[in-house]
Amino acid sequence: MKLCRYGRIGKEQPGLIGPDGELRDLSGLIADLTPDQLAGDKLAVLAKLDPRSLPLVEGRPRLGAPVRDIPKFIAIGLNYLDHAEEAGLAIPTEPIIFLKATSCISGPNDDIVEPLDSTKLDWEVELGIIIGTQARNVLEAEALDYVAGYCVVNDVSERAFQFQSSQWDKGKGCDSFGPVGPWLVTKDEVIDPQNLDLWLDVNGKRMQTGNTSKMIFSVRQIISYCSRYMTLQPGDVIITGTPPGVGMGIKPVPVWLKPSDIVQLGITGLGSQRQRIVATEVSVHD
């Protein structure tokens, strides 16, 4: 089942993508796709619906992040061996956890805003895990039981900001730095989260190609590990690292995003995103 939210920013409605690829309206059944709707029994009710019985949404409306009011946006750094090598950083012996500000979350095709004083704007296609059940100190063997579904995420990064200190958050949490979606794909449709192809293009040129089989720490390990240090709540999103091919790693001269660039990215079975880079607007008060 592919769940989404569509409509203008702040006015999104819940939707479902049918087997025919058509967008169907769920607002007659649920007010929105919120964390409390991700429990297994509530998702099971939606899964029993015949999409053809739902109103068809005409046109191509804007898509928002597939879950409203995401409680935590957790990220795992350097989780692909070849990406760590291209970045010239040590291979981690434990998952590297950092947090992205939830205010950076945006729709999958919304513009990416280049922050003021940005000089090294970069891209990262990542598999996102969406938690469905509260998880605390869970075992690796049971970790997937706590998953509602998966999604595509672009972990947009400003490298100059990121490496100004040992804390990465400044370069990871700027407004628009977290495009999520287009859909929440429920876990029953993802046979093996450790065998998904990822890709990313900049201005039509393939920059990243990878597979989640190359993760240093698996989805199971990441969920279990994170749950030791913070209670995972329904709606939490965990992004799991990026394969090689980021702008920072290009030799001999890194490549950085600039206004008017187009970024497209996707993951097998989880859909794709498209973003345009735009310059920030400076507010001037009278």
Side-chain angles (χ1 to χ4, degrees):
M1 183 169 54
K2 297 178 176 68
L3 299 171
C4 64
R5 297 170 65 246
Y6 68 94
R8 293 182 292 115
I9 294 174
K11 302 292 184 181
E12 293 92 346
Q13 299 183 74
L16 180 152
I17 305 298
D20 56 3
E22 298 284 2
L23 173 59
R24 302 283 175 164
D25 180 27
L26 278 173
S27 62
L29 299 174
I30 58 175
D32 205 345
L33 192 59
T34 53
D36 66 302
Q37 289 288 340
L38 301 182
D41 56 340
K42 293 185 178 180
L43 286 183
V45 170
L46 296 179
K48 293 177 181 177
L49 293 172
D50 179 356
R52 294 170 297 181
S53 68
L54 300 171
L56 179 66
V57 179
E58 301 288 349
R60 298 176 61 86
R62 170 191 172 270
L63 295 177
V67 179
R68 193 189 79 189
D69 298 333
I70 292 170
K72 291 194 291 296
F73 197 179
I74 305 164
I76 306 298
L78 299 177
N79 196 33
Y80 288 71
L81 178 63
D82 34 11
H83 171 55
E85 291 173 343
E86 75 172 351
L89 298 171
I91 307 303
T93 57
E94 294 188 30
I96 297 173
I97 299 176
F98 62 93
L99 298 176
K100 288 174 73 79
T102 53
S103 56
C104 84
I105 294 170
S106 58
N109 304 314
D110 291 348
D111 292 342
I112 293 172
V113 180
E114 180 187 52
L116 290 175
D117 301 320
S118 171
T119 58
K120 298 179 178 180
L121 188 62
D122 208 346
W123 58 83
E124 294 189 9
V125 58
E126 305 203 11
L127 171 66
I129 307 163
I130 301 179
I131 298 297
T133 304
Q134 180 174 288
R136 182 186 295 116
N137 295 322
V138 305
L139 300 174
E140 285 183 23
E142 300 173 355
L144 298 188
D145 295 342
Y146 296 84
V147 174
Y150 301 93
C151 61
V152 181
V153 178
N154 188 356
D155 179 18
V156 184
S157 307
E158 212 299 337
R159 304 301 187 184
F161 299 170
Q162 179 182 353
F163 295 115
Q164 282 175 348
S165 76
S166 61
Q167 305 300 310
W168 292 358
D169 301 36
K170 178 181 175 182
K172 294 285 192 171
C174 300
D175 291 352
S176 77
F177 274 24
V180 179
W183 318 307
L184 181 164
V185 181
T186 50
K187 62 183 178 182
D188 58 291
E189 291 198 10
V190 181
I191 296 173
D192 182 4
Q194 298 307 146
N195 187 26
L196 299 174
D197 291 325
L198 309 89
W199 59 271
L200 183 144
D201 295 347
V202 177
N203 298 327
K205 180 180 179 180
R206 183 60 45 94
M207 307 302 288
Q208 286 188 277
T209 302
N211 187 280
T212 56
S213 63
K214 302 298 184 182
M215 286 182 182
I216 297 171
F217 304 103
S218 69
V219 168
R220 290 180 182 274
Q221 289 173 307
I222 288 168
I223 294 168
S224 175
Y225 186 86
C226 289
S227 76
R228 299 181 206 170
Y229 303 102
M230 61 190 87
T231 299
L232 301 177
Q233 302 287 0
D236 284 350
V237 173
I238 308 174
I239 55 177
T240 54
T242 196
V246 300
M248 176 178 64
I250 295 174
K251 305 292 191 300
V253 180
V255 174
W256 309 115
L257 294 169
K258 60 187 183 304
S260 80
D261 284 347
I262 300 294
V263 181
Q264 295 174 280
L265 59 147
I267 300 176
T268 303
L270 304 185
S272 61
Q273 303 183 350
R274 182 184 187 275
Q275 297 111 27
R276 178 173 59 109
I277 312 303
V278 300
T280 192
E281 294 183 1
V282 180
S283 298
V284 177
H285 296 280
D286 294 333

